Amino acid sequence: MMPAPADPRVELRPVPERRVAALRFAGRFLPERFDRKGRELVEAPARAGLEARGGVEVAGYDPPGVLPFLRRNEVWIELAA
């Protein structure tokens, strides 16, 4: 169980377990970078003999004050079971 957030604007909700492929990258979140990394990711599961389903999602892990080259971002795509 997760602790309750101190900020009332933060909401925790359960998310069903799933299997995803992820591609990590650094830098600012720019739409063109997301699109490029998303295209790279969409091709990767097929090369590995896996089936992707759904669309590409993005995850960012750092607050805005972190220097761009230190920021950790990922694009995800769900894999078929």
Side-chain angles (χ1 to χ4, degrees):
M1 178 104 153
M2 299 280 298
D7 188 331
R9 297 172 296 175
V10 175
E11 177 186 336
L12 299 179
R13 57 189 163 95
V15 176
E17 184 177 302
R18 62 187 177 151
R19 188 172 157 203
V20 299
L23 178 62
R24 181 178 175 175
F25 63 98
R28 287 193 170 102
F29 177 77
L30 301 171
E32 54 273 4
R33 182 174 290 138
F34 170 73
D35 291 342
R36 183 170 26 94
K37 293 298 182 180
R39 284 191 303 273
E40 287 178 38
L41 179 63
V42 166
E43 297 169 0
R47 287 194 309 268
L50 301 169
E51 181 184 344
R53 66 177 184 192
V56 175
E57 299 177 58
V58 67
Y61 297 99
D62 299 297
V66 173
L67 295 172
F69 68 92
L70 295 175
R71 290 184 186 170
R72 178 180 173 188
N73 304 298
E74 293 177 346
V75 285
W76 302 345
I77 193 163
E78 188 170 352
L79 299 173

